Amino acid sequence: MAFTHPVTVVTPVRDTPIPVFQRAFASLKSQSFGFEKIQWVIVFHHCSSVYKDEVSSLLDGYPNITLAAEERAESVLSDARNRTLDLAEGKWLFFLDSDDELKADVISEVVGHMEASDADTGIFGAEIDYNGFRVTSLPDAGAEEAVVLSGGDERIGKGLCEYGLYLWTRCYRRQFLAENGIRFRPHIDFGEDLTFNIDATAAAGKVLILPGLSGYTHYLTGGMGTRYAERIGAGEGTRLSGKFIADYAHLLDEQYEAGK
């Protein structure tokens, strides 16, 4: 099957400051894979009309950019993310937060490995930037080179901590998600990435691990992410550990209780 845009990058947006949004945009335009081969799906979530007009003007003239909105009063982040999935057309699917950036070669490198391995999902690393201090989180599959694990391999379950549960360090075969009905669970406004990745990993026939590739920069500027960075000690190089995930889960529990 031929794809006009073999890769889709999906991004929900909540009034992200324009200069910050432009950073994410610039990172896509600089992809060595070729920006013209990327469909960028942007869903405005509870954004002002003025903001939507400003972003639409900024992106005007790019035929590979798809804009939509999720404005139902009761909708939450998981609903906006599902809207991006509905509009995705590419063979391979990446996630990009509107205040982050993808490194220039990451899509090209990950897609090359995905094509060669025929994996359903690929996992790579990221840098987490907390006010200029960076934590490098890399997946660990017990090897330095790319590793492909078959569904049911006990290392998949045991290694979830090391592989990470971030949306933005994953590439998915879009057909795999559609055939298995994998979507974001409705009505979840935080931690929706963990449940999505767990559901997808459990259904995957092949999981590709790229232990040496850090391809994403995630910027923390406040809220729960800042509290998380402070708790784990930003600025210290680390691999994800059981404690790392446990601390994150504890923060999610706190957020859930506070939101009741």
Side-chain angles (χ1 to χ4, degrees):
M1 179 178 180
F3 293 88
T4 303
H5 302 106
V7 166
T8 296
V9 175
V10 294
T11 302
V13 179
R14 279 181 172 171
D15 287 331
T16 303
I18 294 298
V20 176
F21 179 84
Q22 287 177 313
R23 178 177 63 199
F25 184 26
S27 78
L28 277 182
K29 288 193 293 183
S30 68
Q31 287 298 307
S32 60
F33 185 79
F35 181 56
E36 71 283 355
K37 296 189 292 183
I38 299 170
Q39 176 202 22
W40 191 17
V41 174
I42 297 169
V43 172
F44 297 110
H45 187 218
H46 295 166
C47 294
S48 68
S49 57
V50 171
Y51 181 82
K52 287 187 286 188
D53 288 345
E54 191 169 0
V55 171
S56 298
S57 177
L58 175 68
L59 303 179
D60 186 43
Y62 292 94
N64 58 323
I65 297 178
T66 303
L67 298 177
E70 172 54 78
E71 300 296 354
R72 292 174 299 154
E74 70 276 14
S75 67
V76 294
L77 186 54
S78 57
D79 302 314
R81 291 198 188 279
N82 279 333
R83 185 84 172 99
T84 66
L85 296 184
D86 292 338
L87 296 168
E89 300 174 355
K91 180 178 181 180
W92 306 108
L93 182 72
F94 288 80
F95 294 89
L96 173 65
D97 285 357
S98 55
D99 56 353
D100 293 341
E101 62 183 336
L102 286 165
K103 297 182 181 179
D105 294 328
V106 64
I107 289 179
S108 179
E109 186 164 351
V110 172
V111 167
H113 282 284
M114 293 291 286
E115 292 281 6
S117 64
D118 197 35
D120 292 317
T121 180
I123 303 172
F124 51 97
E127 291 181 354
I128 303 173
D129 186 296
Y130 172 50
N131 293 337
F133 296 96
R134 293 196 176 192
V135 177
T136 300
S137 293
L138 293 172
D140 184 2
E144 295 183 0
E145 302 297 328
V147 175
V148 179
L149 302 179
S150 297
D153 191 312
E154 64 177 9
R155 288 175 292 174
I156 294 176
K158 290 181 178 179
L160 277 177
C161 292
E162 286 75 21
Y163 303 162
L165 292 172
Y166 307 123
L167 280 176
W168 19 271
T169 57
R170 301 283 178 123
C171 171
Y172 284 107
R173 182 190 302 275
R174 190 175 59 84
Q175 185 177 2
F176 155 72
L177 297 176
E179 289 176 349
N180 288 274
I182 297 169
R183 295 173 64 79
F184 292 89
R185 299 184 188 183
H187 316 308
I188 299 179
D189 204 27
F190 53 84
E192 80 291 341
D193 52 345
L194 277 76
T195 56
F196 180 89
N197 283 328
I198 289 172
D199 290 343
T201 302
K206 290 183 180 180
V207 177
L208 168 69
I209 316 297
L210 297 169
L213 177 62
S214 176
Y216 191 104
T217 302
H218 179 56
Y219 292 92
L220 297 176
T221 55
M224 185 181 70
T226 297
R227 292 170 56 209
Y228 183 39
E230 289 171 343
R231 185 169 294 186
I232 66 172
E236 299 174 5
T238 182
R239 286 183 181 272
L240 298 180
S241 65
K243 183 178 184 302
F244 191 94
I245 293 297
D247 285 346
Y248 192 22
H250 180 67
L251 284 177
L252 292 176
D253 288 342
E254 289 179 355
Q255 290 288 310
Y256 178 73
E257 293 297 328
K260 283 184 175 180

